[in-house]
Amino acid sequence: MTDVAREVGVTAKTVSRVLNDDGPVAAETRRRVMEAVRRLGYQPNLMARNTRVGARDAAIGLVVPELGNPFFGTVAGGVEGAVRARGLTLIVGSSDETAGHEQALIATFLARRVSALMVVPAADGDHRHLRAERVAGLPIVFLDRPAAGLTADCVVSANREGARAGVAHLIAHGHRRIGFVGDLPAALYTRRERLQGYRDALDAAGLPFDRALVETGHDLEAAARATLRLLALPDPPTALFAGNNLASMGAVVALTRAGRKDVALVGFDDLPLAEALDPPLTAVAQDPAAVGAAAAGLVLARLDGDRSRARRVTVPTRLIVRGSGELPPRTI
Amino acid sequence: MTDVAREVGVTAKTVSRVLNDDGPVAAETRRRVMEAVRRLGYQPNLMARNTRVGARDAAIGLVVPELGNPFFGTVAGGVEGAVRARGLTLIVGSSDETAGHEQALIATFLARRVSALMVVPAADGDHRHLRAERVAGLPIVFLDRPAAGLTADCVVSANREGARAGVAHLIAHGHRRIGFVGDLPAALYTRRERLQGYRDALDAAGLPFDRALVETGHDLEAAARATLRLLALPDPPTALFAGNNLASMGAVVALTRAGRKDVALVGFDDLPLAEALDPPLTAVAQDPAAVGAAAAGLVLARLDGDRSRARRVTVPTRLIVRGSGELPPRTI
DNA sequence: TTGACATATGTCATCGTTGACATCGGCTGT
DNA sequence: ACAGCCGATGTCAACGATGACATATGTCAA
């Protein structure tokens, strides 16, 4: 910046004024500064700008469990769009679903003095350590899953209600033994909520809850094995409810491998190829981009000075009926 | 930091020494400093650290076209793993496949003084403006697609060879009219390479190249429409080659909707549900995580002082035979 | 005993940028 | 014609951290 100033014959302060549209600058000076900036290829140093007291970086930190999972990718995309419109930069990091990595990422984001923090908490995360930051006024919003040990803004899908609707759909088609293929770990918020929705639907229909019908797998192959275990039970389910996108894919793959096109299936989370499957997959569709956008909206409101108390936003889900959920129960 | 120092009764410099393991510090002082750090919840300000001349931020900037596309998500995951092991932070931004957004992102990364830049270039990007940075020694690596107008490190998949193998597979099963469903825009590097591989295979078999058999769509639905256009030709193809993951999904969806299980299909890029489709999808599998990891490896080598000239790394692809590519040609 | 050296800590300046305040002409209104 | 003001620019300090160099205390060999 000093170089640019020297080139034009003014002080760094004047250059700063030009670049920030701050204070009066003669049109001619402005022109010459701009020209020198271009000629020298000068780029302001954002790091230095932010050393001044209390200054915050024009970046927002987002922590997701896995970058490779399209669900979180789409969430991040939703956040990015909303945030970019405000001239803020989104910094994304992946916690690998590990509390340790999550804390490390949050620490580097804080050290960078991001102006807000958005977190999809790892299953075993703990966010009490963020209380001080929250009190200090840093906007913190949790996505997809609420914070552990901290009252904070939060945007989640209608997990319980969505799962209830999906399972009720199976019950309405005559099923009485319905398997649940869920996420690992069992303590994961989304899994607990969806399992609760599953139980709600059973209760409403007067059906018993059978712990043996709940199986678990944390990736596609594990979910496929979980599905096969359910099918191998002495009194197997005639329908399955899959608790997330990987579980859905695992269940589809397992049913295909086992040649069991007669088992009804409803998945939580829609899949791009849902309609191309045989039978086409009935799904409880989430709207991950909307979750991201809603969270970004909350953050921006907080940045604009909204000091109201922590809010929880629930993004609705939608049951998409395609065929796999309407198969009649068939005893083997 | 001054607060911590005052608390312990030393200078900021001593605290700095403790935190950076730099220079000799008495064990007792170190202990008291650490304790004060913990008690006050002090966190070093990374921004300030980087104001000193030539200092670089311990972050690497990664630009991808779309966060929501699982291909790029997986690439980013591969990068992140390799980079984290070195204590570097990965900053990801999405260019929305737009040259303007891409430039803006790169500019903010540079302003943040990232220690390296990794870019999946937007289709219409231009990277001449990065020449100065490259000369100045900033490691810059391009992923999935090479830079435009700049000689730089680059990691790509074996697009041409992979496509050739996929199309040759269809030819080996008797197909003579093979449609190509590709990406938009036509200028996109990966599309050009894969189309070239398609032509290579035709040439090798002495088959003519028919421009009418090349169709295009930039998302799943557009690819589905492109597929239907091919099937509606007067002399339609008996097999299809899809040029990327979205095109594959679009083709699968279109064939399903049209009830055309007799059309052979090979997709570039494997899909998680490939084996659950009917017929199961034969695919040329890329290894996106390996692309990311290889690029990260290049960056780390450059950071370690490797000044050799720009390298191009090609990550091999693998043909996975499952059924859809082995259907015999059937005239309608 | 002394000087050479190591250890432990402090002092000062600096990075690039921007707030707070100062300066210096010229213009306006009376 | 002069006070008062505004526009244009400059001066200075400060942000938080760390390199370069200085100082103070202790240790040991000659």
Side-chain angles (χ1 to χ4, degrees), chain A residues 165-196:
Chain A
V167 175
H169 183 74
L170 289 168
I171 295 173
H173 283 80
H175 294 276
R176 300 185 54 81
R177 282 188 68 72
I178 302 172
F180 182 91
V181 183
D183 225 344
L184 255 187
L188 190 64
Y189 169 81
T190 46
R191 165 174 162 128
R192 286 202 324 265
E193 287 293 305
R194 294 171 195 173
L195 186 57
Q196 195 54 54

Side-chain angles (χ1 to χ4, degrees), chain B residues 20 26 28-29 31 33 49 62-63 121 136 151 172 184 189 200 207 209 222 232 238 245 255 269 274 289 312:
Chain B
N20 297 292
E28 168 63 9
T29 310
R31 200 192 51 71
V33 167
R49 167 136 64 213
L62 168 66
V63 182
T151 308
L184 255 186
Y189 169 81
D200 290 347
L207 295 174
F209 171 67
T238 61
N245 57 350
L255 293 178
D269 231 359
R312 168 175 300 217

